[in-house]
C-alpha cells in the first residue's frame, strides 16, 4: 500500500533553516502530484507548496522566497527546504500525494517548531 514517511522536523530558532523529507513507497512516484501542508491546533490544514510530476512548483504566498519544494524521482522522495524560518511557520507538516485519478494519501506528519 502507499506509504509516506516524513522526517526532518524539529526545533529551530527564528531565521534558521530546516529540510523536510518525504519518502514514498507502494506507488508509481513519478505520476503523483506531491505537496506539503501545515496544520496548527484548531485550524485547517493549509497548503505550503506543491510540485507536479514534471516539476512545476507552486508555493503559498506566505513562503515564497523562503521555502523550496523539490522532488527526486530516483529516490521517490519530495523535499521541503525551509529558510528564514519564522515563529508563524510552526506547525505539523504533512506530506500529501495525489494520483492522476485524484486519490489522496497523507503521511503521519512531522513537527516543526520555530522559537522567537
Amino acid at each position: 500500500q502507499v506509504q509516506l514517511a516524513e522526517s526532518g522536523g524539529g526545533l529551530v530558532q527564528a531565521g534558521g533553516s530546516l529540510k523536510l523529507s518525504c519518502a514514498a513507497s507502494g506507488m508509481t512516484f513519478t505520476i503523483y502530484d506531491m505537496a506539503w501542508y501545515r496544520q496548527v491546533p484548531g485550524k485547517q490544514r493549509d497548503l505550503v507548496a506543491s510540485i507536479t510530476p514534471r516539476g512545476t512548483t507552486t508555493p503559498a504566498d506566505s513562503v515564497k522566497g523562503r521555502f523550496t519544494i523539490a522532488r527526486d524521482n530516483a529516490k521517490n522522495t519530495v523535499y521541503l527546504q525551509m529558510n528564514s524560518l519564522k515563529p508563524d511557520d510552526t506547525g505539523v507538516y504533512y506530506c500529501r500525494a495525489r494520483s492522476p485519478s485524484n486519490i489522496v494519501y497523507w503521511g503521519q506528519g512531522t513537527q516543526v517548531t520555530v522559537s522567537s
Side-chain angles (χ1 to χ4, degrees):
Q1 71 274 22
V2 173
Q3 290 189 326
L4 301 172
E6 301 104 331
S7 61
L11 173 64
V12 64
Q13 288 189 331
S17 298
L18 281 175
K19 186 175 183 178
L20 306 183
S21 300
C22 172
S25 60
M27 57 191 277
T28 305
F29 183 76
T30 53
I31 66 172
Y32 276 70
D33 184 285
M34 303 297 295
W36 288 96
Y37 282 71
R38 177 176 62 229
Q39 189 169 28
V40 298
K43 295 192 175 181
Q44 68 180 17
R45 199 170 290 186
D46 292 327
L47 178 66
V48 175
S50 64
I51 184 166
T52 68
R54 288 192 172 188
T56 301
T57 62
T58 304
D61 287 343
S62 61
V63 305
K64 280 181 181 177
R66 300 189 299 121
F67 291 11
T68 302
I69 187 171
R71 65 192 297 158
D72 185 337
N73 288 339
K75 296 182 177 180
N76 286 3
T77 300
V78 61
Y79 303 98
L80 185 68
Q81 177 66 48
M82 305 186 293
N83 299 328
S84 302
L85 281 159
K86 305 175 182 179
D88 284 349
D89 297 321
T90 294
V92 179
Y93 283 70
Y94 293 91
C95 178
R96 185 226 70 200
R98 187 177 67 204
S99 75
S101 57
N102 283 323
I103 298 173
V104 174
Y105 301 94
W106 294 94
Q108 81 286 353
T110 185
Q111 176 71 44
V112 172
T113 303
V114 184
S115 63
S116 57

